[in-house]
Amino acid sequence: MNLLNKIEILDFMRKSVAPSLSAIKKKNIRNQEKTKEMNQILDVLRNSLFEEIDMYYNNEVHYPNKTAAAFLVYYCWVIVSLECRNTLWNYESMDLSRRSGELWESLLKQCWSYPVFNTVKRFIAPDFMDVAEGIKSAFNNKLHNKQIEANIVREISTEYSTMWSILGDSINLNSDELFETTFNEHGNLEVSDKKYIIDFKGSYGSNEKGNKERLLTVARIYNLLNKYNLTDKEFNCILAVRTVEAGGHNYLRQLESSKLWSVLRGNEVYEMIFEFTGFDILSFVKEKDLQIMKDLNEETAEYMKSKITSKQNKTFADHYLTWW
């Protein structure tokens, strides 16, 4: 099978899962259990193809093709995954909203798993308790350096620790993608040598107030690490949004005006990925004619075009499955 041929990959995947899909559909079990069983089979299939990719493109000379193969295989897996789930039981708006966001994000992350450039590498999010102690210690050192009376320093430090306690002890500083840029041996990196925290959102709507507050909290903590020079490279937070729903602009504006998050929308997200990883998604999509509604089987495509979202008054196809 040609790992850069969409038709061949889709055909192979569909034929591979067809017997299992038919058998699972007939089982007298809950729909959620059917989905779980089907997803396990799909995951095994996807992983086997990625093992082929790793074996075939094991020479760094072929790395651009390795990235392309990984992206294409994952895209085809997304298509077949949507088909299988909708065959077992039809998507409703809430389920598809969540699932489409997950699939879009996981597809884009292949560009960091198999980057064209060797100037990006992932890092692990710092532990919140370690970060909090580091920031508090840096704050206290700053107080001591100002030659303030010891009793006043203790009083301020106590109040400062009390304010930190409001956050609790379990703030998750992880995000959808964390990576740092590094200069390669030729020193020709065009982007800044920094650490980046990316949060992907398939859509950003009027119900995102809680998420906005979480994002601001996380970014403020990373900003404090920058302020107190507690990082080897400056942290930068990026919110990558596929589509913005009516009513969602206000929260995005608040995030942008905070200067803590850089907000990218639509094609800006793909341009950012190209800049950092070297993989041009939009050109590849055009080259391989990757259109979700065109690539879905007829039954699933017709269903997605017939169902209308309650809030946006758009078809499932237009609102959830138009990615570029």
Side-chain angles (χ1 to χ4, degrees), residues 258-297:
S258 74
K259 305 299 183 183
L260 296 170
W261 285 91
S262 298
V263 179
L264 304 178
R265 303 169 176 82
N267 285 352
E268 292 176 342
V269 176
Y270 306 122
E271 291 164 1
M272 174 268 294
I273 292 173
F274 185 23
E275 177 184 21
F276 285 122
T277 72
F279 187 63
D280 189 347
I281 291 177
L282 293 177
S283 293
F284 186 73
V285 163
K286 184 177 181 180
E287 175 192 342
K288 298 296 183 181
D289 191 26
L290 305 186
Q291 301 179 53
I292 294 178
M293 293 310 301
K294 181 178 177 180
D295 293 326
L296 286 170
N297 61 28

Side-chain angles (χ1 to χ4, degrees), residues 35-53:
T35 303
K36 182 179 180 180
E37 193 171 330
M38 191 69 240
N39 285 344
Q40 291 173 342
I41 293 168
L42 285 166
D43 286 349
V44 170
L45 174 63
R46 180 196 63 211
N47 293 342
S48 68
L49 290 178
F50 270 83
E51 288 176 4
E52 287 191 35
I53 290 172

Side-chain angles (χ1 to χ4, degrees), residues 231-248:
T231 173
D232 58 331
K233 298 177 183 178
E234 178 185 331
F235 289 106
N236 288 260
C237 297
I238 298 174
L239 178 60
V241 186
R242 180 175 58 82
T243 184
V244 180
E245 300 175 18

Side-chain angles (χ1 to χ4, degrees), residues 39 76 82 88 103 123 133 152 176 184 219 246 272 275 316:
N39 285 344
C76 292
L82 288 168
L88 292 175
L103 293 173
F123 67 89
E133 289 305 313
I152 297 178
D176 298 326
N184 62 21
M272 174 268 294
E275 177 184 21
F316 284 9

Side-chain angles (χ1 to χ4, degrees), residues 7 11 25 150 200-201 217 224 284 299:
I7 303 301
D11 186 58
K25 189 174 183 180
F200 290 105
K201 293 291 292 182
T217 298
L224 283 172
F284 186 73
E299 179 185 356

